[in-house]
Amino acid sequence: MMMGKKLVLVVGLILAVAVVSLSLLLGGGITTDTVTTQTVIQTVTQKQVAGTINGAGASFLNPQMQAWASKFYELTKGRVKVNYQSIGSGAGQANFKEGLIDFAGSDPPLKKEIYDEFQGKSGIIQFPVIIGTIVVVYNIPNIETQKLRLTGEVIAKIYLGEIVYWDDPLIKELNPDLNLPHEKIIAVHRSDGSGTTRVFTAYLSKIYKPWKEKVGSDFTVQWPVDQLGNGVGAKGNEGVAAAVQQNLYSIGYVETAYAYGSGLKIALIRNRNGQYVIPTEETVKSSLIELTKILPKAHEDWSKIFPDETVDPPGLKSYPIVSFSFIILRQDYDDEIKVALLREFFTWVLTEGQKKENIVPGYYPLPPEVAQIGLEGLKLLR
Amino acid sequence: MNRRRLEEKIMLGVISLLAIISAIPIFAIIINIYSEGLKYVSLSFLIDFPPPPISGGAGGIGPALVGSLILIGLATVIGGAIGFFTGLYLSEYSHTKLAQYTQMFLQIMVEFPTIIIGLFAYSVLVAPLKRFNAFAGAFALSIVIIPYIALNVREAYKSIPYTLKEAAFSLGLSYPKVYLRVLLSTAKRGVLTALLIGMAKAGGETAPLLLTILGTTFTYFEGLDQPINAIPLLIYNFALSPYERWHQVAWGASAVLLTIILTIFIISRLVVKEVKI
């Protein structure tokens, strides 16, 4: 009796192990095949290498990255495959730190702790690849898009819960021509950790001191408006966009592409010079003129400058909430093919990739001086 | 007497109505997914790479479809092998303490949040290997489906009349012969159903894949130690985007996924039709 019991167990175990190792072997065989094809192509085209680079991170960057990756796949006839997955800036930075991906995409630059950790080890290269803007969106039935005027201070007071109704004197003062309803403002914000929130709250902190003292700026913050019951949290840009669409008399902040994508109404925001602006090529260009002078180099720590120093820039027509999206690389890779692929792809992104035909609507290309930061940085790659 | 009849009728009516109501969502889902998604499905949709958000062609779900099939296959092989023998043990040695505890744990595992299983696979197979990889995804999926397969295999073996077993043993057959030849031929429909249920489960799961396989855009399969894509993961990513074209791909992918799952279920129904002894 005992023999039989054991036998069944042993047979079961052996079978399971055999099946697992067989399937592993199968996969292993196919991997070797890919490697050989890669080397073949390598010798044929000499200097050019073929292969896949894996990146992940900011969801904001994702549409633009897919457009670039797809174009580059076509240009290189499938030789360079850039695989970018949208998992969020925070997760992208964490995975990069663990060495799970070849490059990270992130709305804010690398956190100080992670940057320091890499110093003296494999080093860091980080540079902006594209410019985005954050817009304030609203849902008031009788007010058209680009009609509502707001200031950073008023937005801060709404999210602080100090302004409760749409017909508050402070809002009326900015919008004497609008028929503002006596309705409670539903303030929608991100519930997940987000680079968008980090930049948006950096803007509010810079423009309105009490915000800085009471709330501050981070990937997630304690929203005072929530305690009054007038706040709504939503996941992702798409979540905020949907929440604003579904809730009458709400306000929210999203990346511009999401506002256009879902047809939300966009508020005019007052800049430093008293002009009411929305993001356009002109207003974004104006924002960048002064900004480019204070930007660090690719191997330096960006966390102090961005976004706290870069929001609300000077310039007559400047749009105040401008944001960069970063690519983060190590300086050292133990794989030569990866280095060549990364260099080739990102050099293209920073040059040809910035041309109008390669930019997805809702994003803005880098000025040449800013693209230069990345091109210089890529020289450190080895 | 009349009143009792009436009560019975009302009761039956109410219960039937509730039964119909509970079945409505499945039809609503099927109709909704197919009416929204089927129009985007074509041969090239099944083969092509996912498209960029604006310019370029219509694109497809090639890497995700191939990835899903590989993951389903691998998870069913791993989970099937372990689940089958576990189920066999649970049925034939149900009196042992080990079997009783195992069964209890499997019943808990059925209710386990699958995202936690994904996190586990991440910590043992992604973080140490320093790479998102297909095997970690298949591993997570097989853990998800093992309890389903094991418990269903157990039912299949339990349903075999004791007399058949007795007869087999009385012929002097060895244990493996009895369990894997004589009894399996009787229980095979049940076992096959168990495997098919596991397959369908593996095909539809998203959470275990979020933390393990990363996803791919231009590669179908580059080895088990490399990232791979899957249809549920693609739907999750594309449905949340602000772009109409990606929404269309997500709808099309949903229709494909639903077809895969429904096919598996229809096969399992056909298999189960009648058990002959």
Side-chain angles (χ1 to χ4, degrees), chain A residues 285-323:
Chain A
K285 209 172 204 171
S286 164
S287 308
L288 291 168
I289 294 171
E290 291 295 315
L291 263 191
T292 51
K293 295 173 186 164
I294 60 163
L295 298 181
K297 292 196 168 57
H299 62 274
E300 291 173 344
D301 176 25
W302 285 61
S303 59
K304 282 215 176 62
I305 304 280
F306 184 94
D308 300 315
E309 300 295 322
T310 54
V311 287
D312 195 31
L316 185 66
K317 289 178 174 166
S318 295
Y319 185 73
I321 327 176
V322 169
S323 150

mmCIF file of all heavy atoms in Angstrom, chain A residues 285-323:
data_model
loop_
_atom_site.group_PDB
_atom_site.id
_atom_site.type_symbol
_atom_site.label_atom_id
_atom_site.label_comp_id
_atom_site.label_asym_id
_atom_site.label_seq_id
_atom_site.Cartn_x
_atom_site.Cartn_y
_atom_site.Cartn_z
ATOM 1 N N LYS A 285 6.160 78.266 -26.489
ATOM 2 C CA LYS A 285 7.458 78.752 -26.931
ATOM 3 C C LYS A 285 7.933 79.878 -26.018
ATOM 4 O O LYS A 285 9.081 79.896 -25.577
ATOM 5 C CB LYS A 285 7.340 79.266 -28.371
ATOM 6 C CG LYS A 285 8.619 79.146 -29.158
ATOM 7 C CD LYS A 285 8.346 79.488 -30.612
ATOM 8 C CE LYS A 285 9.373 78.854 -31.528
ATOM 9 N NZ LYS A 285 9.004 79.008 -32.927
ATOM 10 N N SER A 286 7.011 80.770 -25.718
ATOM 11 C CA SER A 286 7.323 81.902 -24.852
ATOM 12 C C SER A 286 7.774 81.417 -23.471
ATOM 13 O O SER A 286 8.723 81.937 -22.892
ATOM 14 C CB SER A 286 6.099 82.806 -24.741
ATOM 15 O OG SER A 286 6.235 83.685 -23.661
ATOM 16 N N SER A 287 7.113 80.373 -22.958
ATOM 17 C CA SER A 287 7.455 79.851 -21.631
ATOM 18 C C SER A 287 8.881 79.323 -21.603
ATOM 19 O O SER A 287 9.560 79.366 -20.576
ATOM 20 C CB SER A 287 6.519 78.704 -21.250
ATOM 21 O OG SER A 287 5.180 79.081 -21.393
ATOM 22 N N LEU A 288 9.325 78.787 -22.751
ATOM 23 C CA LEU A 288 10.591 78.070 -22.758
ATOM 24 C C LEU A 288 11.812 78.974 -22.896
ATOM 25 O O LEU A 288 12.919 78.569 -22.566
ATOM 26 C CB LEU A 288 10.590 77.051 -23.896
ATOM 27 C CG LEU A 288 9.617 75.901 -23.656
ATOM 28 C CD1 LEU A 288 9.436 75.096 -24.905
ATOM 29 C CD2 LEU A 288 10.112 75.032 -22.519
ATOM 30 N N ILE A 289 11.598 80.214 -23.381
ATOM 31 C CA ILE A 289 12.752 81.080 -23.655
ATOM 32 C C ILE A 289 13.611 81.289 -22.418
ATOM 33 O O ILE A 289 14.811 81.013 -22.433
ATOM 34 C CB ILE A 289 12.277 82.442 -24.225
ATOM 35 C CG1 ILE A 289 11.647 82.207 -25.598
ATOM 36 C CG2 ILE A 289 13.454 83.415 -24.340
ATOM 37 C CD1 ILE A 289 10.941 83.412 -26.174
ATOM 38 N N GLU A 290 12.976 81.674 -21.310
ATOM 39 C CA GLU A 290 13.748 81.931 -20.085
ATOM 40 C C GLU A 290 14.163 80.627 -19.411
ATOM 41 O O GLU A 290 15.238 80.532 -18.831
ATOM 42 C CB GLU A 290 12.929 82.786 -19.113
ATOM 43 C CG GLU A 290 12.709 84.213 -19.565
ATOM 44 C CD GLU A 290 14.015 85.006 -19.650
ATOM 45 O OE1 GLU A 290 14.818 84.906 -18.705
ATOM 46 O OE2 GLU A 290 14.218 85.699 -20.663
ATOM 47 N N LEU A 291 13.263 79.650 -19.515
ATOM 48 C CA LEU A 291 13.491 78.373 -18.840
ATOM 49 C C LEU A 291 14.790 77.712 -19.248
ATOM 50 O O LEU A 291 15.524 77.164 -18.418
ATOM 51 C CB LEU A 291 12.359 77.408 -19.203
ATOM 52 C CG LEU A 291 11.206 77.286 -18.230
ATOM 53 C CD1 LEU A 291 10.337 76.114 -18.620
ATOM 54 C CD2 LEU A 291 11.746 77.100 -16.833
ATOM 55 N N THR A 292 15.051 77.729 -20.558
ATOM 56 C CA THR A 292 16.190 76.967 -21.071
ATOM 57 C C THR A 292 17.504 77.424 -20.439
ATOM 58 O O THR A 292 18.457 76.665 -20.387
ATOM 59 C CB THR A 292 16.300 77.106 -22.600
ATOM 60 O OG1 THR A 292 16.273 78.488 -22.920
ATOM 61 C CG2 THR A 292 15.150 76.418 -23.291
ATOM 62 N N LYS A 293 17.518 78.668 -19.920
ATOM 63 C CA LYS A 293 18.759 79.177 -19.346
ATOM 64 C C LYS A 293 19.105 78.531 -18.004
ATOM 65 O O LYS A 293 20.260 78.535 -17.598
ATOM 66 C CB LYS A 293 18.662 80.702 -19.159
ATOM 67 C CG LYS A 293 18.553 81.421 -20.480
ATOM 68 C CD LYS A 293 18.298 82.902 -20.276
ATOM 69 C CE LYS A 293 18.035 83.574 -21.627
ATOM 70 N NZ LYS A 293 17.411 84.896 -21.454
ATOM 71 N N ILE A 294 18.113 77.999 -17.318
ATOM 72 C CA ILE A 294 18.403 77.478 -15.972
ATOM 73 C C ILE A 294 18.509 75.950 -15.929
ATOM 74 O O ILE A 294 18.723 75.365 -14.885
ATOM 75 C CB ILE A 294 17.345 77.941 -14.945
ATOM 76 C CG1 ILE A 294 15.953 77.450 -15.357
ATOM 77 C CG2 ILE A 294 17.355 79.452 -14.778
ATOM 78 C CD1 ILE A 294 14.939 77.509 -14.219
ATOM 79 N N LEU A 295 18.339 75.275 -17.086
ATOM 80 C CA LEU A 295 18.314 73.818 -17.061
ATOM 81 C C LEU A 295 19.696 73.197 -16.855
ATOM 82 O O LEU A 295 20.674 73.667 -17.420
ATOM 83 C CB LEU A 295 17.705 73.282 -18.365
ATOM 84 C CG LEU A 295 16.255 73.702 -18.617
ATOM 85 C CD1 LEU A 295 15.759 73.097 -19.916
ATOM 86 C CD2 LEU A 295 15.351 73.302 -17.465
ATOM 87 N N PRO A 296 19.787 72.136 -16.049
ATOM 88 C CA PRO A 296 21.072 71.468 -15.800
ATOM 89 C C PRO A 296 21.516 70.602 -16.982
ATOM 90 O O PRO A 296 20.834 70.552 -18.009
ATOM 91 C CB PRO A 296 20.781 70.567 -14.591
ATOM 92 C CG PRO A 296 19.384 70.804 -14.203
ATOM 93 C CD PRO A 296 18.697 71.538 -15.299
ATOM 94 N N LYS A 297 22.637 69.915 -16.816
ATOM 95 C CA LYS A 297 23.121 68.986 -17.842
ATOM 96 C C LYS A 297 22.575 67.582 -17.567
ATOM 97 O O LYS A 297 22.086 67.308 -16.479
ATOM 98 C CB LYS A 297 24.651 68.970 -17.831
ATOM 99 C CG LYS A 297 25.259 70.279 -18.301
ATOM 100 C CD LYS A 297 26.729 70.097 -18.637
ATOM 101 C CE LYS A 297 27.283 71.301 -19.372
ATOM 102 N NZ LYS A 297 27.114 72.573 -18.621
ATOM 103 N N ALA A 298 22.732 66.715 -18.583
ATOM 104 C CA ALA A 298 22.076 65.403 -18.516
ATOM 105 C C ALA A 298 22.581 64.515 -17.380
ATOM 106 O O ALA A 298 21.850 63.672 -16.881
ATOM 107 C CB ALA A 298 22.241 64.680 -19.845
ATOM 108 N N HIS A 299 23.837 64.688 -16.971
ATOM 109 C CA HIS A 299 24.347 63.808 -15.913
ATOM 110 C C HIS A 299 24.128 64.402 -14.524
ATOM 111 O O HIS A 299 24.518 63.820 -13.530
ATOM 112 C CB HIS A 299 25.839 63.521 -16.145
ATOM 113 C CG HIS A 299 26.687 64.753 -16.085
ATOM 114 N ND1 HIS A 299 26.892 65.554 -17.187
ATOM 115 C CD2 HIS A 299 27.353 65.334 -15.061
ATOM 116 C CE1 HIS A 299 27.665 66.577 -16.834
ATOM 117 N NE2 HIS A 299 27.942 66.462 -15.555
ATOM 118 N N GLU A 300 23.505 65.604 -14.477
ATOM 119 C CA GLU A 300 23.310 66.267 -13.181
ATOM 120 C C GLU A 300 21.943 65.931 -12.575
ATOM 121 O O GLU A 300 21.088 65.342 -13.226
ATOM 122 C CB GLU A 300 23.459 67.783 -13.358
ATOM 123 C CG GLU A 300 24.889 68.184 -13.680
ATOM 124 C CD GLU A 300 25.041 69.671 -14.042
ATOM 125 O OE1 GLU A 300 24.027 70.343 -14.343
ATOM 126 O OE2 GLU A 300 26.176 70.144 -14.037
ATOM 127 N N ASP A 301 21.794 66.337 -11.303
ATOM 128 C CA ASP A 301 20.531 66.121 -10.598
ATOM 129 C C ASP A 301 19.530 67.206 -10.998
ATOM 130 O O ASP A 301 19.804 68.382 -10.844
ATOM 131 C CB ASP A 301 20.804 66.167 -9.082
ATOM 132 C CG ASP A 301 19.525 66.059 -8.281
ATOM 133 O OD1 ASP A 301 18.549 65.495 -8.806
ATOM 134 O OD2 ASP A 301 19.510 66.537 -7.118
ATOM 135 N N TRP A 302 18.379 66.790 -11.504
ATOM 136 C CA TRP A 302 17.366 67.744 -11.957
ATOM 137 C C TRP A 302 16.277 67.985 -10.919
ATOM 138 O O TRP A 302 15.419 68.834 -11.100
ATOM 139 C CB TRP A 302 16.696 67.234 -13.233
ATOM 140 C CG TRP A 302 17.509 67.350 -14.482
ATOM 141 C CD1 TRP A 302 18.708 66.763 -14.736
ATOM 142 C CD2 TRP A 302 17.169 68.115 -15.647
ATOM 143 N NE1 TRP A 302 19.129 67.092 -15.989
ATOM 144 C CE2 TRP A 302 18.206 67.917 -16.579
ATOM 145 C CE3 TRP A 302 16.084 68.925 -15.998
ATOM 146 C CZ2 TRP A 302 18.195 68.507 -17.850
ATOM 147 C CZ3 TRP A 302 16.075 69.502 -17.263
ATOM 148 C CH2 TRP A 302 17.127 69.304 -18.175
ATOM 149 N N SER A 303 16.297 67.193 -9.859
ATOM 150 C CA SER A 303 15.126 67.174 -8.986
ATOM 151 C C SER A 303 14.869 68.510 -8.275
ATOM 152 O O SER A 303 13.753 68.807 -7.893
ATOM 153 C CB SER A 303 15.255 66.035 -7.968
ATOM 154 O OG SER A 303 16.428 66.202 -7.208
ATOM 155 N N LYS A 304 15.948 69.326 -8.120
ATOM 156 C CA LYS A 304 15.741 70.615 -7.447
ATOM 157 C C LYS A 304 15.099 71.648 -8.377
ATOM 158 O O LYS A 304 14.310 72.470 -7.962
ATOM 159 C CB LYS A 304 17.094 71.153 -6.953
ATOM 160 C CG LYS A 304 17.553 70.468 -5.691
ATOM 161 C CD LYS A 304 18.303 71.457 -4.794
ATOM 162 C CE LYS A 304 18.681 70.790 -3.493
ATOM 163 N NZ LYS A 304 19.610 69.646 -3.725
ATOM 164 N N ILE A 305 15.484 71.589 -9.648
ATOM 165 C CA ILE A 305 15.026 72.577 -10.622
ATOM 166 C C ILE A 305 13.591 72.286 -11.073
ATOM 167 O O ILE A 305 12.750 73.164 -11.174
ATOM 168 C CB ILE A 305 15.949 72.557 -11.865
ATOM 169 C CG1 ILE A 305 17.388 72.796 -11.460
ATOM 170 C CG2 ILE A 305 15.462 73.552 -12.917
ATOM 171 C CD1 ILE A 305 17.738 74.238 -11.219
ATOM 172 N N PHE A 306 13.367 71.013 -11.374
ATOM 173 C CA PHE A 306 12.113 70.639 -12.000
ATOM 174 C C PHE A 306 11.247 69.847 -11.045
ATOM 175 O O PHE A 306 11.728 68.898 -10.454
ATOM 176 C CB PHE A 306 12.394 69.799 -13.260
ATOM 177 C CG PHE A 306 11.152 69.459 -14.007
ATOM 178 C CD1 PHE A 306 10.701 70.240 -15.058
ATOM 179 C CD2 PHE A 306 10.401 68.351 -13.630
ATOM 180 C CE1 PHE A 306 9.543 69.917 -15.728
ATOM 181 C CE2 PHE A 306 9.232 68.039 -14.299
ATOM 182 C CZ PHE A 306 8.804 68.820 -15.348
ATOM 183 N N PRO A 307 9.989 70.188 -10.870
ATOM 184 C CA PRO A 307 9.268 71.250 -11.560
ATOM 185 C C PRO A 307 9.168 72.552 -10.760
ATOM 186 O O PRO A 307 8.582 73.510 -11.250
ATOM 187 C CB PRO A 307 7.875 70.654 -11.707
ATOM 188 C CG PRO A 307 7.709 69.822 -10.473
ATOM 189 C CD PRO A 307 9.083 69.346 -10.080
ATOM 190 N N ASP A 308 9.757 72.569 -9.545
ATOM 191 C CA ASP A 308 9.493 73.722 -8.672
ATOM 192 C C ASP A 308 9.952 75.049 -9.262
ATOM 193 O O ASP A 308 9.334 76.085 -9.056
ATOM 194 C CB ASP A 308 10.158 73.488 -7.304
ATOM 195 C CG ASP A 308 9.607 72.233 -6.639
ATOM 196 O OD1 ASP A 308 8.367 72.071 -6.650
ATOM 197 O OD2 ASP A 308 10.400 71.416 -6.156
ATOM 198 N N GLU A 309 11.071 75.016 -10.012
ATOM 199 C CA GLU A 309 11.577 76.263 -10.588
ATOM 200 C C GLU A 309 11.032 76.520 -11.989
ATOM 201 O O GLU A 309 11.133 77.622 -12.504
ATOM 202 C CB GLU A 309 13.114 76.213 -10.656
ATOM 203 C CG GLU A 309 13.799 76.038 -9.306
ATOM 204 C CD GLU A 309 13.566 77.236 -8.390
ATOM 205 O OE1 GLU A 309 13.564 78.374 -8.904
ATOM 206 O OE2 GLU A 309 13.386 77.025 -7.183
ATOM 207 N N THR A 310 10.521 75.472 -12.629
ATOM 208 C CA THR A 310 10.161 75.631 -14.041
ATOM 209 C C THR A 310 8.704 76.045 -14.262
ATOM 210 O O THR A 310 8.342 76.446 -15.362
ATOM 211 C CB THR A 310 10.430 74.326 -14.827
ATOM 212 O OG1 THR A 310 9.756 73.261 -14.162
ATOM 213 C CG2 THR A 310 11.912 74.029 -14.908
ATOM 214 N N VAL A 311 7.859 75.922 -13.224
ATOM 215 C CA VAL A 311 6.471 76.350 -13.420
ATOM 216 C C VAL A 311 6.371 77.873 -13.321
ATOM 217 O O VAL A 311 7.240 78.527 -12.745
ATOM 218 C CB VAL A 311 5.511 75.700 -12.387
ATOM 219 C CG1 VAL A 311 5.297 74.238 -12.713
ATOM 220 C CG2 VAL A 311 6.022 75.878 -10.979
ATOM 221 N N ASP A 312 5.313 78.397 -13.889
ATOM 222 C CA ASP A 312 5.072 79.833 -13.920
ATOM 223 C C ASP A 312 6.288 80.634 -14.407
ATOM 224 O O ASP A 312 6.795 81.517 -13.700
ATOM 225 C CB ASP A 312 4.639 80.331 -12.524
ATOM 226 C CG ASP A 312 4.036 81.729 -12.587
ATOM 227 O OD1 ASP A 312 3.429 82.049 -13.635
ATOM 228 O OD2 ASP A 312 4.181 82.487 -11.618
ATOM 229 N N PRO A 313 6.753 80.351 -15.622
ATOM 230 C CA PRO A 313 7.946 81.042 -16.126
ATOM 231 C C PRO A 313 7.617 82.464 -16.576
ATOM 232 O O PRO A 313 6.450 82.773 -16.852
ATOM 233 C CB PRO A 313 8.360 80.185 -17.322
ATOM 234 C CG PRO A 313 7.088 79.570 -17.795
ATOM 235 C CD PRO A 313 6.190 79.423 -16.602
ATOM 236 N N PRO A 314 8.641 83.346 -16.627
ATOM 237 C CA PRO A 314 8.408 84.692 -17.141
ATOM 238 C C PRO A 314 8.164 84.682 -18.649
ATOM 239 O O PRO A 314 8.287 83.638 -19.285
ATOM 240 C CB PRO A 314 9.715 85.413 -16.815
ATOM 241 C CG PRO A 314 10.742 84.345 -16.674
ATOM 242 C CD PRO A 314 10.018 83.125 -16.211
ATOM 243 N N GLY A 315 7.854 85.829 -19.205
ATOM 244 C CA GLY A 315 7.560 85.929 -20.650
ATOM 245 C C GLY A 315 6.138 86.408 -20.835
ATOM 246 O O GLY A 315 5.221 85.910 -20.192
ATOM 247 N N LEU A 316 5.988 87.385 -21.738
ATOM 248 C CA LEU A 316 4.708 88.073 -21.913
ATOM 249 C C LEU A 316 3.546 87.113 -22.157
ATOM 250 O O LEU A 316 2.503 87.204 -21.525
ATOM 251 C CB LEU A 316 4.834 89.067 -23.081
ATOM 252 C CG LEU A 316 3.608 89.950 -23.323
ATOM 253 C CD1 LEU A 316 3.378 90.903 -22.141
ATOM 254 C CD2 LEU A 316 3.774 90.756 -24.620
ATOM 255 N N LYS A 317 3.728 86.156 -23.069
ATOM 256 C CA LYS A 317 2.623 85.296 -23.452
ATOM 257 C C LYS A 317 2.713 83.899 -22.840
ATOM 258 O O LYS A 317 1.964 83.005 -23.210
ATOM 259 C CB LYS A 317 2.584 85.176 -24.983
ATOM 260 C CG LYS A 317 2.142 86.455 -25.628
ATOM 261 C CD LYS A 317 2.151 86.332 -27.121
ATOM 262 C CE LYS A 317 1.555 87.604 -27.732
ATOM 263 N NZ LYS A 317 1.835 87.686 -29.162
ATOM 264 N N SER A 318 3.666 83.700 -21.911
ATOM 265 C CA SER A 318 3.955 82.360 -21.413
ATOM 266 C C SER A 318 2.757 81.647 -20.808
ATOM 267 O O SER A 318 2.010 82.217 -20.008
ATOM 268 C CB SER A 318 5.053 82.433 -20.355
ATOM 269 O OG SER A 318 6.237 82.873 -20.947
ATOM 270 N N TYR A 319 2.582 80.362 -21.171
ATOM 271 C CA TYR A 319 1.611 79.514 -20.487
ATOM 272 C C TYR A 319 2.264 79.000 -19.207
ATOM 273 O O TYR A 319 3.394 78.503 -19.246
ATOM 274 C CB TYR A 319 1.165 78.348 -21.376
ATOM 275 C CG TYR A 319 0.077 77.542 -20.721
ATOM 276 C CD1 TYR A 319 -1.223 78.053 -20.632
ATOM 277 C CD2 TYR A 319 0.329 76.309 -20.153
ATOM 278 C CE1 TYR A 319 -2.221 77.356 -19.993
ATOM 279 C CE2 TYR A 319 -0.672 75.594 -19.514
ATOM 280 C CZ TYR A 319 -1.949 76.122 -19.440
ATOM 281 O OH TYR A 319 -2.933 75.429 -18.801
ATOM 282 N N PRO A 320 1.577 79.122 -18.059
ATOM 283 C CA PRO A 320 2.271 78.883 -16.791
ATOM 284 C C PRO A 320 2.537 77.420 -16.403
ATOM 285 O O PRO A 320 3.475 77.166 -15.655
ATOM 286 C CB PRO A 320 1.363 79.542 -15.746
ATOM 287 C CG PRO A 320 0.059 79.753 -16.406
ATOM 288 C CD PRO A 320 0.256 79.733 -17.882
ATOM 289 N N ILE A 321 1.708 76.450 -16.851
ATOM 290 C CA ILE A 321 1.941 75.080 -16.360
ATOM 291 C C ILE A 321 2.499 74.211 -17.479
ATOM 292 O O ILE A 321 1.801 73.414 -18.098
ATOM 293 C CB ILE A 321 0.667 74.449 -15.748
ATOM 294 C CG1 ILE A 321 -0.201 75.500 -15.059
ATOM 295 C CG2 ILE A 321 1.043 73.362 -14.758
ATOM 296 C CD1 ILE A 321 -1.498 74.976 -14.518
ATOM 297 N N VAL A 322 3.787 74.429 -17.735
ATOM 298 C CA VAL A 322 4.484 73.673 -18.774
ATOM 299 C C VAL A 322 5.318 72.596 -18.100
ATOM 300 O O VAL A 322 5.877 72.807 -17.032
ATOM 301 C CB VAL A 322 5.380 74.614 -19.600
ATOM 302 C CG1 VAL A 322 6.305 73.825 -20.499
ATOM 303 C CG2 VAL A 322 4.524 75.554 -20.429
ATOM 304 N N SER A 323 5.362 71.440 -18.732
ATOM 305 C CA SER A 323 6.062 70.326 -18.104
ATOM 306 C C SER A 323 6.894 69.566 -19.133
ATOM 307 O O SER A 323 6.532 69.498 -20.307
ATOM 308 C CB SER A 323 5.011 69.421 -17.462
ATOM 309 O OG SER A 323 5.420 68.109 -17.452
#
